Amino acid sequence: VTVERDEYGIIANSITSLDEDYLISDRVFEFTTVDDSLGAYNRRMYAINTQLDDKILYPISRVYKHIVPKPIRTGISNFSSNFSEIPTTVNSLLQLKFGKALNSAGRFLINSTIGLAGTIDVAKSFGLKKDPETFGDTLGYYGVYSGSYLVLPILGPTVRDTGGMFVDSAMTMPVKAFVYDKALYDTNILDQELTGPIEATINGINTRSLLSIKYGDLNSPFEYDLVKALYFNYRKLQIIK
């Protein structure tokens, strides 16, 4: 899909994830203005992530994909992402986006109840579309400089979101702790000390199984630079919308 500059209206309201096939015109898309002062480290980490994904993560996720049915994998993803409605609500309020705050609060309430603890996105059928906001978005909304582009081990690219992830996680912790305490610990289904590693492993493999894109799919010797530009512009659009 190719679209011209529209003050980010159509683009920003349409792009919900980085894996969608959007080609943004050069009057919007920025290739050369991305701060990559950590470029030497980033390129090495990108190469390491490429090997990790190619040799370990992608093969494991394909086996997992063939064993676990799509509805279950989608349910796991929905359950995990349902908690993200909490920081979305808070960050929307911080950005004075009260409509988005009501939308995300409604989604959390409906999906946590009718949607069987968030495993089914029932709210979508009520017209409440998932529209995430992060603390990184809040920082960008108030003009905080994004800082250098950064490639994290396994997780991949980020800009100002690294610290924001910890803030968003802290917002979800009380609710998540309550749910896990009632559903897992009190019933002795899972030991509390094992929750973190097991949750991270399952979510990581499950998320990877739902993505078809791979390192190298761009088939370009400039893949690092293209991914950097794609991510930077995607985050810019997410902040503006």
Side-chain angles (χ1 to χ4, degrees):
V1 178
T2 305
V3 292
E4 297 299 328
R5 184 184 180 94
D6 66 342
E7 299 304 321
Y8 305 102
I10 296 174
I11 302 173
N13 289 325
S14 299
I15 297 181
T16 58
S17 60
L18 191 56
D19 60 352
E20 295 192 42
D21 297 324
Y22 280 87
L23 176 63
I24 303 170
S25 77
D26 58 4
R27 284 182 289 173
V28 175
F29 204 86
E30 295 183 31
F31 277 100
T32 59
T33 60
V34 182
D35 180 353
D36 194 13
S37 54
L38 300 173
Y41 158 81
N42 286 334
R43 289 179 183 275
R44 292 189 185 94
M45 185 52 63
Y46 189 87
I48 291 172
N49 284 345
T50 300
Q51 292 302 312
L52 283 173
D53 188 70
D54 184 57
K55 300 296 194 299
I56 301 174
L57 299 178
Y58 185 75
I60 290 175
S61 72
R62 295 309 97 177
V63 174
Y64 173 85
K65 179 179 180 179
H66 286 293
I67 295 174
V68 182
K70 178 72 176 291
I72 295 178
R73 291 185 287 120
T74 301
I76 292 172
S77 177
N78 287 343
F79 174 79
S80 179
S81 66
N82 188 47
F83 289 106
S84 69
E85 300 295 347
I86 299 170
T88 291
T89 301
V90 174
N91 284 299
S92 296
L93 290 172
L94 290 174
Q95 297 173 47
L96 308 180
K97 298 176 180 178
F98 302 115
K100 292 187 73 170
L102 286 173
N103 180 81
S104 57
R107 281 183 53 81
F108 182 74
L109 179 62
I110 293 172
N111 288 339
S112 298
T113 52
I114 305 175
L116 302 179
T119 56
I120 304 173
D121 190 357
V122 180
K124 184 168 57 177
S125 63
F126 286 92
L128 299 178
K129 180 183 176 183
K130 187 173 180 61
D131 195 5
E133 290 286 351
T134 67
F135 192 68
D137 295 330
T138 299
L139 293 176
Y141 178 82
Y142 287 105
V144 176
Y145 179 58
S146 63
S148 174
Y149 176 74
L150 176 66
V151 179
L152 298 174
I154 301 178
L155 297 177
T158 182
V159 278
R160 64 169 69 79
D161 299 319
T162 309
M165 287 189 293
F166 291 103
V167 176
D168 292 331
S169 179
M171 295 179 192
T172 67
M173 279 301 175
V175 177
K176 186 178 284 190
F178 175 79
V179 172
Y180 284 10
D181 188 55
K182 297 299 181 183
L184 300 177
Y185 309 145
D186 287 355
T187 55
N188 295 318
I189 294 177
L190 185 65
D191 188 277
Q192 188 169 354
E193 294 181 358
L194 299 176
T195 303
I198 291 176
E199 180 185 17
T201 301
I202 292 176
N203 282 338
I205 296 174
N206 191 71
T207 299
R208 189 65 186 90
S209 75
L210 294 170
L211 297 175
S212 58
I213 191 171
K214 293 196 308 179
Y215 285 93
D217 277 356
L218 293 177
N219 195 29
S220 168
F222 306 105
E223 179 174 290
Y224 169 82
D225 299 287
L226 289 170
V227 170
K228 176 178 66 177
L230 282 168
Y231 182 80
F232 178 82
N233 284 273
Y234 164 73
R235 291 298 294 126
K236 182 175 69 174
L237 293 173
Q238 288 299 103
I239 290 168
I240 289 173
K241 74 172 186 177

